[in-house]
Amino acid sequence: MSVSPIVIKVGGALLDDAAAMTRLFLSIKDVQAKRPVVVVHGGGPLVETLMASLGLQSTKIDGLRVTPDEHMPYICGALAGSANKQLCAAALASGITPVGLSLLDGNMVVCEPLADQYGAVGVPSTADASFLKSVLAQSTLPVISSIGSSPHGRLLNVNADQAATVIAELLNAELLLLSNVDGVLDGDKMLINQLDATSIAQYAFDGVITDGMKVKVDAALASAESLNRAVYIASWAADVNDILNKKTGTQILPSALTNTKSANTDLTKGNDGEVQ
């Protein structure tokens, strides 16, 4: 690829807002004219609704869903089936050619179980990028669900933020973590423009960044460190170009940038996380 791709993660709540889906995919279509884009998605609300309708209890530990193996057929159907195809259909309606995938397809990502207490929850790591790159070369939009597999064929439920992170690492891509919030908020509910490891630790200690947002910020920081570029946490209602141009959202900065730039440096200029 001549330019670095963009990986956009969206939460499952987007599925309940048809207008937001349309706006997002039209924004993606505009960006796609210049750079490859990949969408990675979760589907938490859809899973919770399905579990409730089946009388199955769904719990979380530290923001991660506990997933018994016997629940995986239903979670697989919700994420790799219903959620994935709703997003693909919305992309198609916006004039984009989507390709619905999961983490395990093409051996893109390999997963290992996190810990017994979480059940079939996977920790993803990069494997083979060749299949995904070939899909992107067709000017299509890969839409990837957060269902993975161990090397032994055990289906695993992967946190969608971590799934997006590993896809970004696989492609050396810029990463946007989009949800129904404008970014990371401080104790006064005001948008934080930039965060690094030190400020994240302090906000976590103060109880400002907790639970699912802590998982999201930690995933973003890990990817920022791996990619040596800023990762963006922003709203799916925002224009993708505005996020990339640092007009909205929260930038998560890797230590290499925070160590070489003073707090007074204008990070809206230069090449922080942008493709040459």
Side-chain angles (χ1 to χ4, degrees):
M1 299 176 195
S2 58
V3 293
S4 175
I6 302 166
V7 173
I8 298 175
K9 182 268 176 179
V10 296
L14 179 64
L15 299 170
D16 297 325
D17 192 337
M21 276 197 289
T22 298
R23 287 195 303 270
L24 176 61
F25 281 118
L26 288 175
S27 180
I28 288 173
K29 183 180 180 182
D30 181 54
V31 173
Q32 235 188 347
K34 299 177 181 178
R35 296 174 64 179
V37 180
V38 177
V39 170
V40 179
H41 69 88
L46 192 65
V47 170
E48 289 171 2
T49 299
L50 178 60
M51 293 292 101
S53 69
L54 295 172
L56 299 173
Q57 186 177 6
S58 179
T59 60
K60 290 185 178 182
I61 299 176
D62 298 327
L64 292 175
R65 187 180 306 281
V66 177
T67 307
D69 283 283
E70 56 268 26
H71 290 186
M72 277 305 295
Y74 309 111
I75 292 174
C76 237
L79 295 184
S82 297
N84 189 269
K85 299 316 165 193
Q86 286 182 53
L87 288 167
C88 285
L92 194 64
S94 299
I96 296 172
T97 302
V99 178
L101 300 169
S102 296
L103 294 175
L104 57 89
D105 292 317
N107 193 34
M108 296 184 290
V109 174
V110 65
C111 300
E112 294 290 348
L114 174 59
D116 289 344
Q117 64 178 328
Y118 294 99
V121 170
V123 177
S125 57
T126 58
D128 188 348
S130 57
F131 170 73
L132 185 54
K133 288 181 177 179
S134 70
V135 173
L136 287 171
Q138 305 303 311
S139 298
T140 59
L141 176 71
V143 181
I144 304 175
S145 73
S146 56
I147 295 296
S149 173
S150 75
H152 305 293
R154 181 188 182 188
L155 288 174
L156 296 168
N157 186 20
V158 177
N159 173 269
D161 293 320
Q162 295 172 351
T165 297
V166 79
I167 293 296
E169 291 171 349
L170 185 71
L171 296 173
N172 191 29
E174 289 199 84
L175 175 60
L176 281 61
L177 301 176
L178 305 187
S179 66
N180 55 357
V181 296
D182 292 332
V184 185
L185 306 180
D186 64 18
D188 297 321
K189 305 302 180 184
M190 299 296 291
L191 184 66
I192 304 169
N193 294 323
Q194 294 178 350
L195 287 169
D196 58 17
T198 301
S199 55
I200 288 168
Q202 185 62 55
Y203 279 119
F205 179 80
D206 293 339
V208 174
I209 298 177
T210 61
D211 300 327
M213 183 57 77
K214 181 65 163 57
V215 173
K216 186 187 301 292
V217 169
D218 287 346
L221 181 61
S223 183
E225 297 290 2
S226 174
L227 298 173
N228 194 30
R229 57 164 47 132
V231 171
Y232 305 82
I233 296 176
S235 169
W236 52 51
D239 184 270
V240 173
N241 279 313
D242 284 346
I243 299 169
L244 292 171
N245 291 325
K246 310 170 185 69
K247 295 180 180 179
T248 185
T250 301
Q251 285 181 275
I252 309 298
L253 303 178
S255 56
L257 291 182
T258 58
N259 289 339
T260 57
K261 295 180 181 290
S262 70
N264 294 325
T265 300
D266 183 358
L267 291 179
T268 65
K269 298 178 182 180
N271 184 50
D272 302 309
E274 298 200 7
V275 179
Q276 290 293 310

